[in-house]
Each structure stands twice: as C-alpha cells, then as structure tokens.
Amino acid sequence: MQSFTEENYLKTIYNLANRQQGEVSTNALAEVTATKAASVTDMLRKLSEKQLIHYKKYQGVRLTEEGERLALQIIRRHRLWEVFLVEKLGFSWDQVHDIAEELEHIRSEELVTRLDTYLGNPQFDPHGDPIPTSAGQMPETGYRKLSEAEVGEGVCLMAVLEHSAGFLQHLDYSDLSLGSTVIVQEISAFDKSFRVQTETGRTVFVSHEVAKNLLVN
Amino acid sequence: MQSFTEENYLKTIYNLANRQQGEVSTNALAEVTATKAASVTDMLRKLSEKQLIHYKKYQGVRLTEEGERLALQIIRRHRLWEVFLVEKLGFSWDQVHDIAEELEHIRSEELVTRLDTYLGNPQFDPHGDPIPTSAGQMPETGYRKLSEAEVGEGVCLMAVLEHSAGFLQHLDYSDLSLGSTVIVQEISAFDKSFRVQTETGRTVFVSHEVAKNLLVN
DNA sequence: ATAAAAATTTAGGCTAGTCTAAATTTTTAG
DNA sequence: CTAAAAATTTAGACTAGCCTAAATTTTTAT
C-alpha cells in the first residue's frame, strides 16, 4: 500500500513521461510536486527500493510495470471523480481538479467499481482525457493539437492539455467547448494565432499558446 | 486548517463526550484512535494550544466551541457521504463506514453543499444518525434504547449505536431494519433478552447487548 | 488514611517527508 | 577540450505523529 505522497509521485511521473519523451528529470518532478530537488531524490530512492520506478542516479527516472499499473489506477480514480463532480454535482470543468486530486486517494476497489457503473462507464473525463480501463489500459486517442491544423480545416475539439481554471475559463469565454467543431479561417503569420469560426457562428481568435493546449480530431 | 489526524481526534472527542457523560479521558481516546495514551497526550497539548479543546493535565478534555463546530462539520461530511454510498452507489449499510471515514476529510465547502443538495438534504444517515446542519447544529432525536422498552410496547427502530459490520449484518439476519416497527412480546428474566415480533410477522430474539445498541421511538 | 493500582504525563527516540547548504556529476559554451 | 553552469545528490536538520519506558498524579481499596 502506498502513501498519498507516493501515489502523487507515481501519477506525476506518468504524466510527465507521456507529455515529454523519455525519462523524467528530478527538477521537473520538483517543480510539479512543488517541492525541492533534494526531496525528490529522497522519494526516488524510496520508490526505487519498492520496485515502482527504474532509477539510476543522475539519469532520470521511468515507471516499472507495477509503477505504471498503480499510476493508471490513480489517474482512473481521478478522472472518474471528475466526471462525478461535473455530471452529478453540477460543478463546472474549471472547479473539479483540486477536489478530484483529494478524492483520487480514497482506497476502495469496490468504490471505484460502483462509481464507474453509476456514471455509466464513461470513456472520457470533463477535460476530454480518456479514462484508463479497470484492467489498467490507457485508451489511445490519436488526437493532435489545434496548433497543427491548417487553414480551411474543420476540426472537433476533443480535449485540453492544460487544466488550470484560468485556461478553462478562457475557453468558456471564447465559446470553445469540447465536442464542438471549429473551422480554421486564418493563421496569423505575425503571431501564429488562429482565427476560427465556432459552432455557434462566432469568430474568435485563439492564441498559439492556447492552440497548443487544445486537442482536436 | 487541521490535519486528518487532528480532525479524527476532534470527531472522536465529540462522539465519546456524547456517549458517556462529561469529560473524555486520555485512555478512552487512546483506545478509540488505536494509539497509546502517551501519543494522545501529545495531541491533546497540540489541540489545546490551537484552542480547540479545554484541557487540564490529568483532568480529561472537552471541546471548545470552535472545536465542536469543526467536529460537527466532519461528522456532517461523514454522514452525508454514507448516504451517498448507500443511496446512490448501492452499498449496504455495513460496508460504508470505513470508506466514509476517508471521504469525510475531503476539504471543500462547496462539495459538501452540492452533495447535500444532490442527496435531497437528508436528515439521517443509513444508521439513523441525524446529520448536523450546515449551520453546525446537531439535531435532537429523543430516541431511547430498545433495552428500555417494556413488554407489550410497539416501537419503531430508528438508529443503531454500534456501527460494526458484524452488528449490522446480525440485524439484517434478524429482520430488524430501520424504519420498521417491532412489538415487544417478552423480556427474559434469565438474560434480559427480548422476544419481539417484526413487521413481517417473524418472531426473533434480541439479546440484551443488541437491545442496548438499538434506538427506538 | 494510606498503600497499591490505575491513569496520565514526561523523556527520549523513531519514520516519513520536507528543507537548506554543500558536494558531486553532467551538460554546455567557448 | 575544458571551464563554467546546471542538475542532481548527500549531509544534516526539522515537524508531525507515533512509540516505549520511566516518572508523576489520581483513584481505589482496605
């Protein structure tokens, strides 16, 4: 059985590894976990002893099979709780991250199973992220970033890479909601921002920074 | 903001104070929290410094107003989550205590408010315990123990004092469910056990020990 | 009333997870 | 290729919460 802290490290290592490529660095972990590099090193030694990560001093870290299994279990819980908070309790998608961050650590297989059933076995969370299966598989999505789309394309907004309340609220204001389709009308040569037409007919500008954090189909 | 551990102590002090009369002893706390008396003393000093309890060495302990407010908040969360687990996820009443024990520590006023609304502002949890109000009041019930009833009386089963899975399952087997009425047919002079007729017509025997843990109206 | 028993507190120590400062290793720039 | 910079680890220390053993206070039984 792992502590909350260990679970958070495993989850963070998984997320960083799948965002960047390859090994995860001590400093990157320190930044995300809001601790110092020295503290991270301590924890890496511990997780390594428990065979949850592959760790060579100074060489970065990656999850073992068992470590990944645990990470996916935690991510599954997190995403199911987010669905619950939005679908059942009526929270908006920019309010649920921190609460789910706590709920994900509740230890009960039975609870997760029943919650999943209760929610109708959802495949995606409110941010469009796929929910790992109970068997421990992360579904593939094949999305690409809006920033990679070209002029004239019509694309469907599927997920966000950034979960901060500020970013999500910005999308709300811009009439960009998941599941809706936008048509790329122009890409500015000046700042690579996108001019798109939303499903409701509005024309909105999407900065390159925002476009890089929007996944489309 | 309190730690999980501090919250558990506050809750436990509240429960012990309202079960027994007057001050709560160090040993009683050690037993319920499954720690040693010395550890309890440490925590009492800490809670006392935080003005959450009135504490004089060797004299036992009781909650301050602020301490009681916090204790009731935690008990409110616990009981609301128990309702959720039973009503929405379909757990049985003997499975929910431990899970609610973890859920009660999730820190979000908004979450509790929305959960309460979602559940239809329930007044009692699955064990018949009243749910403290959002204003921090513990509703009075005026129940008495089945063990205090007399032959010939018909009483309605309202709540249980013991929450262990074993006890609750025993009630299930005995056809004793909350909300149902039983008629006291005989009280054994030998062992003070009760012979009662249940709502479905069954005659069952209730030991004195069980009768002391059943609240009726 | 007082000695034995029970309850409680104190003293000193342990682990998990964190920190700062210093030492070490790796990477990068010239 | 090597010196400076950056990244990482080690060393030593702190807090929360727990422990055991010993000391102290309160309660109980004669």
Side-chain angles (χ1 to χ4, degrees):
Chain A
M1 195 88 319
Q2 290 66 233
S3 67
F4 282 23
T5 310
E6 288 171 314
E7 289 191 349
N8 281 332
Y9 272 89
L10 292 175
K11 181 186 63 170
T12 304
I13 293 168
Y14 182 93
N15 285 331
L16 285 175
N18 287 51
R19 182 163 310 154
Q20 311 148 22
Q21 70 296 350
E23 319 269 292
V24 175
S25 77
T26 301
N27 268 358
L29 279 166
E31 190 185 331
V32 176
T33 59
T35 62
K36 299 304 164 110
S39 311
V40 173
T41 300
D42 280 350
M43 181 56 83
L44 294 186
R45 192 162 13 77
K46 188 171 154 194
L47 292 174
S48 183
E49 272 162 21
K50 290 193 176 188
Q51 318 255 358
L52 299 175
I53 59 175
H54 294 291
Y55 173 56
K56 289 238 171 53
K57 282 204 284 193
Y58 296 101
Q59 306 301 315
V61 72
R62 65 176 213 282
L63 295 173
T64 61
E65 242 180 68
E66 174 66 359
E68 178 163 319
R69 194 185 66 74
L70 290 170
L72 284 170
Q73 191 172 298
I74 296 151
I75 291 168
R76 173 172 158 82
R77 293 188 210 142
H78 182 101
R79 294 182 179 173
L80 283 172
W81 280 116
E82 284 200 346
V83 173
F84 169 72
L85 294 172
V86 168
E87 298 290 315
K88 301 293 187 182
L89 296 195
F91 278 100
S92 60
W93 68 339
D94 58 315
Q95 300 177 297
V96 296
H97 184 78
D98 292 348
I99 301 176
E101 206 73 8
E102 297 192 49
L103 286 164
E104 73 190 6
H105 299 292
I106 307 290
R107 287 155 208 293
S108 166
E109 250 329 294
E110 178 82 358
L111 176 62
V112 177
T113 304
R114 284 180 182 269
L115 185 64
D116 187 35
T117 301
Y118 181 58
L119 298 172
N121 310 112
Q123 305 299 298
F124 299 94
D125 78 10
H127 307 104
D129 293 312
I131 296 174
T133 66
S134 56
Q137 294 296 309
M138 177 68 88
E140 285 299 324
T141 60
Y143 302 148
R144 64 196 159 125
K145 295 174 181 175
L146 172 60
S147 57
E148 289 157 13
E150 290 176 14
V151 173
E153 276 193 81
V155 296
C156 186
L157 302 179
M158 301 304 290
V160 293
L161 286 178
E162 163 73 40
H163 289 196
S164 71
F167 177 72
L168 299 174
Q169 284 159 16
H170 175 73
L171 296 185
D172 288 339
Y173 291 137
S174 304
D175 206 21
L176 300 168
S177 57
L178 295 192
S180 74
T181 299
V182 301
I183 298 161
V184 181
Q185 298 181 315
E186 187 195 355
I187 303 176
S188 158
F190 173 62
D191 65 357
K192 294 192 255 175
S193 71
F194 281 54
R195 177 158 60 80
V196 306
Q197 181 162 42
T198 71
E199 221 170 51
T200 61
R202 268 179 66 189
T203 292
V204 301
F205 288 91
V206 180
S207 74
H208 184 65
E209 197 52 35
V210 168
K212 278 197 302 187
N213 284 289
L214 266 175
L215 294 180
V216 301
N217 220 348
Chain B
M1 196 89 317
Q2 290 64 233
S3 66
F4 282 22
T5 310
E6 288 171 315
E7 289 190 350
N8 282 332
Y9 271 89
L10 292 175
K11 183 187 62 170
T12 305
I13 293 167
Y14 181 94
N15 285 330
L16 284 175
N18 287 50
R19 183 163 310 155
Q20 311 149 22
Q21 70 295 352
E23 319 269 292
V24 175
S25 76
T26 300
N27 267 359
L29 279 167
E31 190 185 331
V32 176
T33 58
T35 62
K36 300 302 164 114
S39 311
V40 172
T41 301
D42 281 349
M43 181 57 83
L44 294 184
R45 191 162 14 75
K46 186 172 155 194
L47 291 174
S48 184
E49 272 162 24
K50 290 194 176 188
Q51 318 254 358
L52 298 175
I53 59 174
H54 294 292
Y55 173 56
K56 291 238 172 52
K57 283 202 287 193
Y58 296 101
Q59 305 303 314
V61 72
R62 65 175 213 283
L63 295 173
T64 62
E65 242 179 66
E66 173 66 359
E68 178 163 319
R69 194 185 65 74
L70 289 170
L72 284 170
Q73 190 173 298
I74 297 150
I75 292 168
R76 174 172 157 82
R77 292 188 211 143
H78 181 101
R79 293 182 180 173
L80 284 172
W81 279 116
E82 285 200 345
V83 173
F84 169 73
L85 293 172
V86 169
E87 297 292 315
K88 302 294 186 179
L89 296 195
F91 278 100
S92 60
W93 69 339
D94 57 315
Q95 299 178 297
V96 297
H97 184 78
D98 292 347
I99 300 176
E101 205 74 9
E102 297 192 48
L103 286 164
E104 73 190 6
H105 299 294
I106 306 290
R107 287 156 208 293
S108 166
E109 249 330 294
E110 177 83 358
L111 175 62
V112 178
T113 304
R114 285 180 182 269
L115 184 63
D116 187 35
T117 302
Y118 181 59
L119 298 172
N121 310 112
Q123 306 299 299
F124 300 94
D125 78 10
H127 308 103
D129 294 311
I131 296 175
T133 66
S134 55
Q137 294 296 311
M138 177 67 89
E140 285 300 324
T141 60
Y143 302 149
R144 65 197 159 122
K145 295 175 181 175
L146 172 59
S147 56
E148 289 156 15
E150 290 175 15
V151 172
E153 274 192 81
V155 296
C156 185
L157 303 180
M158 300 305 289
V160 292
L161 286 177
E162 163 74 39
H163 289 195
S164 70
F167 178 72
L168 299 175
Q169 283 159 16
H170 175 73
L171 296 185
D172 288 338
Y173 292 137
S174 304
D175 206 20
L176 300 167
S177 56
L178 294 194
S180 74
T181 297
V182 302
I183 298 161
V184 180
Q185 299 184 314
E186 187 194 357
I187 303 175
S188 158
F190 173 61
D191 63 359
K192 295 191 256 174
S193 70
F194 282 55
R195 176 159 59 82
V196 306
Q197 181 162 43
T198 70
E199 222 170 51
T200 60
R202 268 180 64 190
T203 292
V204 301
F205 288 91
V206 180
S207 74
H208 184 63
E209 198 51 36
V210 166
K212 278 197 302 187
N213 284 290
L214 265 176
L215 294 180
V216 301
N217 220 347

